[in-house]
Coordinates of all heavy atoms in Angstrom, one line a residue:
R1 N 91.9 10.9 124.2 CA 92.1 9.8 125.3 C 90.8 8.9 125.4 O 90.9 7.7 125.3 CB 92.3 10.4 126.7 CG 92.6 9.4 127.7 CD 93.1 10.1 129.0 NE 93.4 9.1 130.0 CZ 92.5 8.8 131.0 NH1 91.4 9.3 131.0 NH2 92.9 7.8 131.9
N2 N 89.6 9.6 125.5 CA 88.4 8.9 125.4 C 88.2 8.0 124.1 O 87.7 6.9 124.2 CB 87.2 9.7 125.6 CG 87.2 10.2 127.0 OD1 87.8 9.6 128.0 ND2 86.4 11.3 127.3
T3 N 88.5 8.6 123.0 CA 88.3 7.9 121.7 C 89.3 6.7 121.7 O 88.9 5.6 121.3 CB 88.7 8.8 120.5 OG1 88.0 10.0 120.7 CG2 88.5 8.2 119.2
R4 N 90.5 6.8 122.1 CA 91.5 5.7 122.2 C 90.9 4.6 123.1 O 91.0 3.5 122.8 CB 92.7 6.1 122.7 CG 93.7 6.6 121.6 CD 95.1 6.8 122.1 NE 95.6 8.1 121.6 CZ 96.2 9.0 122.2 NH1 96.5 8.8 123.5 NH2 96.7 10.2 121.6
K5 N 90.4 5.1 124.3 CA 89.9 4.1 125.3 C 88.7 3.3 124.7 O 88.6 2.0 124.8 CB 89.5 4.9 126.5 CG 89.1 4.0 127.7 CD 88.9 4.9 128.9 CE 88.6 4.1 130.1 NZ 88.3 4.8 131.3
K6 N 87.8 4.0 124.0 CA 86.7 3.3 123.5 C 87.0 2.4 122.3 O 86.5 1.2 122.2 CB 85.7 4.4 122.8 CG 84.7 4.9 123.8 CD 83.7 5.8 123.1 CE 82.7 6.3 124.1 NZ 81.6 7.0 123.5
A7 N 88.1 2.8 121.5 CA 88.5 1.9 120.4 C 89.2 0.7 121.0 O 89.1 -0.5 120.5 CB 89.6 2.7 119.6
H8 N 90.0 0.9 122.1 CA 90.7 -0.3 122.7 C 89.6 -1.2 123.4 O 89.7 -2.5 123.2 CB 91.6 0.2 123.8 CG 92.2 -1.0 124.6 ND1 93.2 -1.7 124.0 CD2 92.1 -1.4 125.8 CE1 93.6 -2.6 124.8 NE2 92.9 -2.5 125.9
N9 N 88.6 -0.7 124.0 CA 87.6 -1.5 124.6 C 86.8 -2.3 123.5 O 86.5 -3.5 123.8 CB 86.5 -0.6 125.4 CG 87.2 -0.2 126.7 OD1 88.2 -0.7 127.2 ND2 86.6 0.9 127.3
R10 N 86.5 -1.7 122.4 CA 85.8 -2.4 121.3 C 86.7 -3.5 120.7 O 86.2 -4.6 120.5 CB 85.5 -1.3 120.2 CG 84.2 -1.5 119.6 CD 83.8 -0.4 118.6 NE 83.9 0.9 119.1 CZ 84.7 1.9 118.6 NH1 85.5 1.7 117.7 NH2 84.6 3.1 119.2
A11 N 88.0 -3.2 120.6 CA 88.9 -4.2 120.1 C 89.0 -5.4 121.0 O 89.0 -6.6 120.7 CB 90.2 -3.6 119.8
A12 N 89.1 -5.0 122.4 CA 89.2 -6.1 123.4 C 87.9 -6.9 123.4 O 88.1 -8.2 123.5 CB 89.4 -5.5 124.8
Q13 N 86.8 -6.3 123.3 CA 85.5 -7.1 123.3 C 85.4 -8.0 122.0 O 85.0 -9.2 122.2 CB 84.3 -6.1 123.3 CG 83.0 -6.7 123.5 CD 81.9 -5.7 123.6 OE1 82.0 -4.7 123.1 NE2 80.8 -6.0 124.2
Q14 N 85.9 -7.5 121.0 CA 85.9 -8.3 119.8 C 86.9 -9.5 119.8 O 86.6 -10.6 119.4 CB 86.2 -7.4 118.5 CG 86.1 -8.1 117.2 CD 84.7 -8.4 116.8 OE1 83.8 -7.8 117.3 NE2 84.5 -9.4 115.9
A15 N 88.0 -9.3 120.5 CA 89.0 -10.3 120.5 C 88.6 -11.4 121.4 O 88.9 -12.6 121.3 CB 90.3 -9.7 120.9
R16 N 87.9 -11.1 122.5 CA 87.4 -12.1 123.4 C 86.3 -13.0 122.9 O 86.1 -14.1 123.5 CB 86.8 -11.5 124.7 CG 88.0 -11.0 125.6 CD 87.4 -10.5 126.9 NE 88.0 -9.2 127.2 CZ 87.4 -8.1 127.3 NH1 86.1 -8.1 127.2 NH2 88.1 -6.9 127.6
K17 N 85.6 -12.6 121.8 CA 84.6 -13.6 121.3 C 85.2 -14.9 120.8 O 86.2 -14.9 120.1 CB 83.9 -12.9 120.1 CG 83.0 -11.7 120.5 CD 82.3 -11.1 119.3 CE 81.4 -10.0 119.8 NZ 80.8 -9.4 118.6
L18 N 84.5 -15.9 121.3 CA 84.9 -17.2 120.9 C 84.2 -17.7 119.6 O 83.0 -17.7 119.5 CB 84.6 -18.3 122.0 CG 85.0 -19.7 121.7 CD1 86.6 -19.7 121.7 CD2 84.5 -20.6 122.9
T19 N 85.0 -17.9 118.6 CA 84.5 -18.4 117.3 C 85.0 -19.8 117.1 O 85.9 -20.3 117.7 CB 85.0 -17.5 116.1 OG1 86.4 -17.5 116.1 CG2 84.6 -16.0 116.4
G20 N 84.4 -20.4 116.1 CA 84.8 -21.8 115.7 C 86.3 -21.9 115.3 O 86.9 -22.8 115.7
G21 N 86.7 -21.0 114.5 CA 88.1 -20.9 114.1 C 89.0 -20.8 115.3 O 90.1 -21.5 115.4
K22 N 88.8 -19.8 116.1 CA 89.6 -19.7 117.3 C 89.7 -20.8 118.2 O 90.7 -21.2 118.7 CB 89.1 -18.5 118.1 CG 89.5 -17.1 117.5 CD 89.0 -16.0 118.4 CE 89.3 -14.6 117.9 NZ 88.8 -13.6 118.8
F23 N 88.5 -21.5 118.3 CA 88.4 -22.6 119.2 C 89.3 -23.8 118.7 O 90.0 -24.4 119.4 CB 87.0 -23.1 119.3 CG 86.8 -24.3 120.2 CD1 86.9 -24.2 121.6 CD2 86.5 -25.5 119.6 CE1 86.8 -25.3 122.4 CE2 86.3 -26.6 120.5 CZ 86.4 -26.6 121.8
L24 N 89.1 -24.0 117.3 CA 89.9 -25.1 116.8 C 91.4 -24.8 116.8 O 92.2 -25.8 117.0 CB 89.5 -25.3 115.2 CG 88.1 -25.9 115.0 CD1 87.7 -25.9 113.6 CD2 88.1 -27.3 115.6
R25 N 91.8 -23.6 116.6 CA 93.2 -23.2 116.7 C 93.8 -23.4 118.1 O 94.8 -24.0 118.3 CB 93.5 -21.8 116.2 CG 93.5 -21.7 114.6 CD 94.0 -20.3 114.3 NE 93.1 -19.3 114.6 CZ 92.0 -18.9 113.8 NH1 91.7 -19.6 112.8 NH2 91.2 -18.0 114.3
L26 N 93.0 -23.0 119.1 CA 93.3 -23.2 120.5 C 93.5 -24.7 120.8 O 94.5 -25.1 121.4 CB 92.3 -22.5 121.4 CG 92.6 -22.6 122.9 CD1 93.9 -22.0 123.3 CD2 91.4 -22.1 123.6
M27 N 92.6 -25.5 120.4 CA 92.6 -26.9 120.7 C 93.8 -27.5 119.9 O 94.5 -28.4 120.5 CB 91.3 -27.7 120.2 CG 90.1 -27.3 121.1 SD 90.4 -27.8 122.8 CE 90.5 -26.3 123.6
G28 N 94.1 -27.2 118.7 CA 95.2 -27.6 117.9 C 96.6 -27.3 118.6 O 97.5 -28.2 118.8
K29 N 96.7 -26.0 119.1 CA 97.9 -25.6 119.7 C 98.1 -26.4 121.1 O 99.1 -26.8 121.4 CB 97.9 -24.1 120.1 CG 98.0 -23.2 118.9 CD 98.0 -21.8 119.3 CE 97.9 -20.8 118.3 NZ 97.7 -19.4 118.8
S30 N 97.0 -26.5 121.8 CA 97.0 -27.1 123.1 C 97.4 -28.6 123.0 O 98.2 -29.2 123.7 CB 95.6 -27.0 123.9 OG 95.4 -25.7 124.1
A31 N 96.8 -29.3 122.0 CA 97.1 -30.7 121.7 C 98.5 -30.9 121.3 O 99.2 -31.8 121.8 CB 96.2 -31.3 120.7
G32 N 99.0 -30.1 120.4 CA 100.4 -30.1 120.0 C 101.3 -29.9 121.1 O 102.3 -30.6 121.4
L33 N 101.1 -28.9 122.0 CA 101.9 -28.7 123.2 C 101.8 -29.9 124.2 O 102.9 -30.2 124.7 CB 101.4 -27.4 123.9 CG 102.2 -26.9 125.1 CD1 103.7 -26.6 124.7 CD2 101.7 -25.7 125.7
A34 N 100.7 -30.4 124.4 CA 100.6 -31.5 125.2 C 101.3 -32.8 124.8 O 102.0 -33.4 125.6 CB 99.1 -32.0 125.5
I35 N 101.3 -33.0 123.4 CA 102.1 -34.1 122.9 C 103.6 -33.9 123.0 O 104.4 -34.8 123.4 CB 101.7 -34.3 121.5 CG1 100.3 -34.9 121.3 CG2 102.7 -35.3 120.7 CD1 99.7 -34.9 119.9
I36 N 104.0 -32.7 122.8 CA 105.5 -32.3 123.0 C 105.9 -32.5 124.5 O 106.9 -33.1 124.7 CB 105.8 -30.9 122.4 CG1 105.6 -30.9 120.9 CG2 107.2 -30.5 122.8 CD1 105.6 -29.5 120.3

């Protein structure tokens, strides 16, 4: 259980990091949705 919890926390922390690629994809998706 503790091993799973640590692995999940590590994955969540990694997923929350803002990178250039994630930022560009988010802006592209948001702009496309706003246009639609």
